[in-house]
């Protein structure tokens, strides 16, 4: 008899093997494992997990269906709240959301809600189950800018309300960060992302790629000339930050965005694709978030020895626990309490190393985390040929700077009402990283969902 | 898909294509560029806009194959299509803004165009001509057969000076020599210069115009991926500031650019690109087992 206090373990690719390929790390539950794990759910009346979910999936209900082996029914329950369950089951930070609130977690391990969601969504896809199509169409046009998590969710919900929705995507492939940012080994593009995008399209949503709002066409033109009655901005936070230290323009210094975009969107890891990527031998990734882990694990798979350079200690790493765990298993070296001061270059301007200083933790800062302070005289060099800067991103000003009457805050984030997504401009709504700055897939989905409701109320009252 | 309505060769290895892209054609201005991707596996390649027709909804691009991807572009014919074509990207030229027209009219302007860089100069000179400003233009090419767009320039330029490196047509010598001749021996004076061409040409143009204290704008064409500010691959040092060519540029004050650093960055993927190009041109035949490129493995 399995230990009821513990999760049914999930099968994963062996770390030594997966460090050399781009196939998915986590293999997920099979039906027997999923049903066994489902029996661990206590079916709380006042379920805390639902409150922990940014899109409020009825978790006890879908798990109850699953326990009975009614997987299609379970999928329908999830579909009421989420358009992208196969994605969320893989990339949500469950430990701080649904699973973080699970009563099972008080004495033992919480129910593995993420893995159950993933199993349900994967089973539905493999068995050709589609989300139910909208019953009515009202023909009113709404534009959604960006096909990332917030845009897809907002578009899907608007289509269910009956609107005629067009998504405008700047890149050549829909999916936003799901396609250019998160690597294949965490989120398969063809089998998972493309299929969930297809599901959104099957609700009647149109997607026009290669349209950069603010450049190809403006929001004012969409509303005045192309007949869109409302617009949702879900353009994400795409601009990479650099440190401003010497040597940052040297050859061999990349933003995590560039490195990941080349590898994920442009598929540089595959020989049959044309886009090149630098195969570093020794790589330093600066930063400690999920994106840093993704960049590090990508560099590892391309054949490098990889160091994560992070200025605080392990407890402050912003990345999901699972990502840090996987990175360590695969052999990523963590240089913690370490901060870069300068990138060293050779006579041809190639990266030759990175000069760092040791740090210690002082008093808590505004974020509540203990502030890292330099230890004087502790400088040392790490010999590397590639440096990947993963310090966070900020919203792209292309849209805010070309839309009359759209207010932003000092961080260039669009100001929008949390409940409805309404911005300072009539008929224009926003959500996701474009509003909050870089956050998570599921929070962006939550914002897209709220904005769809906000848009529906706005247009119904018009 | 973005249909190619006309594909042809302007000269030697310089190609011209007219592509159907109504959204780009409706909004683009001189100085801006597009990103083109040929097929599923292709790279995103930034190309300057040579001309546009707002009514027909078309963009004219001119390019010279420099890597595997642009080499593949040359195989496309009239009636074929690009998978992706996005734009307009970057900032328009400061000279081609309606709001600045009164100021621009007061200036004496010199354009210096070199090689395939002649193409992005054309829409600027044409726009100025249509707005009543006659700018002088120097067009430089290696040799007579590589001079492009001469008739088009004749119709829109003030004075047109053509020069070839080998003296086979027009004046003889590099464009920098023509700049010197005009300013020193031929009594010309200018307030504003725009130089577009290979990086090395722009570098020497800027060194030349600096002597005359002639403000010079150049158009940078660094390595790029998305073209929307997302990847930062295209960062260039302008003075002591880091700028992204795709959103802040592509045009910058040439006297503030560190061309040597920019040229080094541009060479970043040279070996890998060269490998792909060789494979494309020669198939597997070049894999004689020299052991150097690893392509036979």
């Amino acid at each position: 008899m399995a230990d009821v206090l513990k999760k049914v373990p999930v099968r994963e690719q062996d770390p030594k093997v997966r460090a050399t390929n781009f196939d998915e790390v986590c293999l997920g539950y099979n039906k027997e494992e999923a049903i066994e794990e489902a029996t661990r759910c206590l079916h709380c009346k006042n379920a805390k997990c639902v409150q922990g979910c940014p899109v409020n999936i009825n978790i006890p209900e879908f798990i109850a269906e699953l326990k009975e082996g009614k997987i299609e029914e379970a999928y329908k329950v999830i579909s009421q709240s989420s358009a992208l369950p196969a994605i969320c089951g893989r990339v949500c930070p469950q430990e701080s959301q649904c699973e973080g609130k699970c009563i099972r977690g008080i004495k033992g391990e919480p129910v593995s809600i993420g893995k159950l969601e993933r199993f349900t969504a994967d089973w539905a896809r493999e068995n050709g189950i589609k989300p139910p199509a909208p019953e009515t169409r009202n023909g009113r046009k709404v534009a959604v800018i960006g096909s990332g998590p917030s845009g897809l969710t907002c578009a899907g919900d608007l289509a269910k309300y009956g609107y005629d929705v067009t998504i405008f995507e700047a890149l050549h492939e829909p999916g936003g960060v799901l396609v250019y940012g998160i690597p294949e080994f965490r989120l398969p593009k063809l089998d998972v992302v493309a299929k969930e995008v297809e599901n959104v399209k099957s609700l009647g949503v149109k997607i026009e790629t290669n349209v950069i709002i603010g450049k190809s066409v403006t929001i004012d033109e969409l509303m005045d000339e192309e007949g869109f009655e409302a617009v949702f901005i879900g353009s994400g936070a795409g601009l990479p930050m650099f440190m401003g230290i010497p040597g940052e323009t040297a050859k061999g210094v990349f933003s995590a965005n560039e490195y990941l975009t080349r590898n994920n969107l442009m598929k540089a890891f595959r020989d049959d694709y044309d886009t090149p990527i630098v195969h570093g031998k020794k790589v330093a990734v600066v930063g400690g978030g999920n994106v840093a882990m993704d960049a590090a694990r990508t560099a590892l798979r391309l054949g490098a020895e990889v160091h994560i350079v992070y200025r605080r200690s392990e407890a402050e790493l912003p990345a999901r626990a699972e990502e840090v765990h996987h990175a360590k298993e695969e052999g990523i070296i963590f240089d913690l309490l370490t901060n870069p001061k300068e990138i060293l270059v050779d006579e041809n301007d190639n990266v030759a190393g990175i000069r760092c200083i040791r740090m210690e933790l002082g008093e808590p800062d505004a974020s509540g985390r203990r502030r890292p302070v330099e230890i004087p005289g502790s400088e040392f060099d790490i010999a590397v040929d590639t440096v990947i800067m993963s310090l966070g991103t900020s919203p792209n000003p292309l849209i805010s700077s070309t839309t009359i009457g759209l207010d932003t805050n000092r961080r260039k984030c669009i100001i929008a009402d949390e409940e409805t997504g309404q911005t300072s401009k009539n008929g224009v709504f926003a959500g996701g990283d474009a509003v909050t700055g870089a956050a998570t897939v599921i929070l962006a989905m939550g914002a897209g969902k709220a904005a769809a409701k906000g848009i529906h109320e706005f247009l119904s009252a018009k | 898909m973005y249909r190619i309505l006309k594909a042809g060769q302007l000269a030697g290895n310089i190609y011209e294509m007219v592509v159907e892209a109504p959204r780009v054609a409706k909004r683009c201005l001189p100085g801006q560029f597009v990103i083109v991707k040929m097929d599923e596996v292709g790279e995103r390649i930034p190309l300057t806009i040579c001309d546009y027709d707002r009514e027909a909804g078309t963009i004219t691009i001119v390019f010279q194959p420099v890597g595997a991807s642009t080499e593949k572009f040359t195989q496309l014919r009239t009636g074929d299509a690009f998978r992706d074509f996005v734009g307009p990207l970057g900032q328009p030229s400061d000279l081609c803004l309606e709001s600045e027209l009164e100021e621009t009219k007061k200036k004496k302007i010199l354009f210096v165009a070199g090689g395939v860089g002649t193409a992005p100069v054309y829409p600027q000179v044409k726009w100025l001509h249509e707005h009543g400003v006659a700018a002088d233009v120097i067009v430089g090419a290696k040799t007579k057969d590589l001079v492009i767009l001469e008739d088009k320039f004749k119709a829109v330029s003030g004075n047109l000076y053509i020069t070839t490196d080998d003296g086979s047509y027009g004046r003889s010598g590099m464009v920098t020599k023509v700049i010197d001749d005009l300013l020193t021996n031929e009594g010309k004076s200018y307030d504003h210069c725009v130089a577009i061409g290979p990086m090395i040409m722009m570098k020497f143009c800027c060194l030349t115009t600096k002597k005359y204290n002639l403000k010079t704008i150049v158009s940078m064409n660094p390595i790029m991926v998305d073209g929307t500010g997302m990847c930062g691959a295209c960062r260039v040092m302008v003075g002591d500031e880091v700028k992204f060519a795709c959103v802040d540029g592509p045009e910058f004050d040439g006297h503030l650019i560190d061309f040597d650093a920019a040229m080094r960055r541009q060479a970043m993927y040279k070996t890998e690109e060269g490998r792909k190009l060789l494979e494309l041109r020669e198939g597997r035949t070049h894999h004689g087992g020299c052991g150097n490129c690893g392509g036979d493995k």
Side-chain angles (χ1 to χ4, degrees), chain B residues 184-252:
Chain B
T184 320
N185 308 326
E186 298 175 35
K188 287 281 183 183
S189 72
Y190 297 100
D191 313 301
H192 191 102
C193 172
V194 177
I196 305 180
M199 205 85 94
I200 190 81
M201 178 211 104
M202 295 193 286
K203 174 185 168 175
F204 282 100
C205 277
C206 288
L207 289 172
T208 306
T209 55
K210 210 163 188 178
K211 289 189 301 195
Y212 303 100
N213 214 5
L214 171 59
K215 184 184 166 99
T216 301
I217 301 295
V218 296
S219 181
M220 301 299 282
N221 51 346
I223 291 169
M224 231 174 240
V225 185
D226 62 289
T228 64
M230 204 178 83
C231 80
C234 65
R235 55 197 191 278
V236 284
M237 289 301 289
V238 183
D240 46 15
E241 272 183 287
V242 177
K243 296 276 185 191
F244 288 1
C246 69
V247 286
D248 303 319
E251 296 194 355
F252 295 107

Side-chain angles (χ1 to χ4, degrees), chain A residues 340-381:
Chain A
K341 298 283 278 183
E342 183 184 350
I343 291 158
L344 309 169
V345 297
D346 68 11
E347 67 282 4
N348 292 317
D349 219 17
N350 292 307
V351 171
I354 182 164
R355 179 155 298 161
C356 299
I357 188 162
R358 305 242 183 245
M359 312 290 280
E360 59 189 353
L361 294 180
E363 295 300 307
D365 63 12
S367 74
R369 296 178 301 177
R370 291 175 65 193
R371 184 196 304 274
V373 250
E374 293 183 356
I375 302 174
S378 67
E379 285 88 351
F380 67 103
D381 296 346

Side-chain angles (χ1 to χ4, degrees), chain A residues 149-172:
Chain A
S150 72
L152 287 174
T153 304
C154 187
D157 276 20
L158 285 167
K160 286 185 203 163
Y161 287 125
Y163 294 96
D164 177 1
V165 186
T166 304
I167 300 181
F168 295 98
E169 168 54 48
L171 292 171
H172 57 268

Side-chain angles (χ1 to χ4, degrees), chain A residues 22 259 280 283 285 294-306 388:
Chain A
F22 278 88
Y259 195 73
V283 177
V285 178
D294 286 345
R297 296 170 70 197
T298 297
L300 180 99
R301 282 160 172 75
L302 293 174
E305 172 190 313
V306 187
I388 300 171

Side-chain angles (χ1 to χ4, degrees), chain B residues 1-10 14-22 24-25 34 36 47-63 73 76-82 85 122 126 149 152:
Chain B
M1 300 295 267
Y2 300 80
R3 260 195 327 137
I4 299 165
L5 302 183
K6 201 184 121 201
Q9 250 163 302
L10 285 181
I14 301 176
Y15 294 77
E16 181 189 55
M17 287 178 186
V18 179
V19 183
E20 206 172 46
V24 188
V34 290
V36 181
L47 293 174
T48 40
I49 295 170
C50 176
D51 206 353
Y52 50 88
D53 184 332
R54 301 210 197 281
E55 258 125 62
T58 59
I59 296 287
T60 304
I61 51 172
V62 169
F63 64 91
F73 287 2
L76 294 169
R77 300 285 171 264
T78 303
D80 290 341
F82 286 106
F85 194 100
Y122 174 69
K126 181 183 171 190
L149 306 171
K152 284 192 157 193

Side-chain angles (χ1 to χ4, degrees), chain B residues 255-271:
Chain B
H255 292 160
L256 297 177
I257 297 272
D258 182 344
F259 282 102
D260 293 334
M263 280 187 275
R264 282 196 299 264
R265 266 191 80 76
Q266 209 173 28
M268 185 147 45
Y269 292 99
K270 262 222 162 115
T271 355

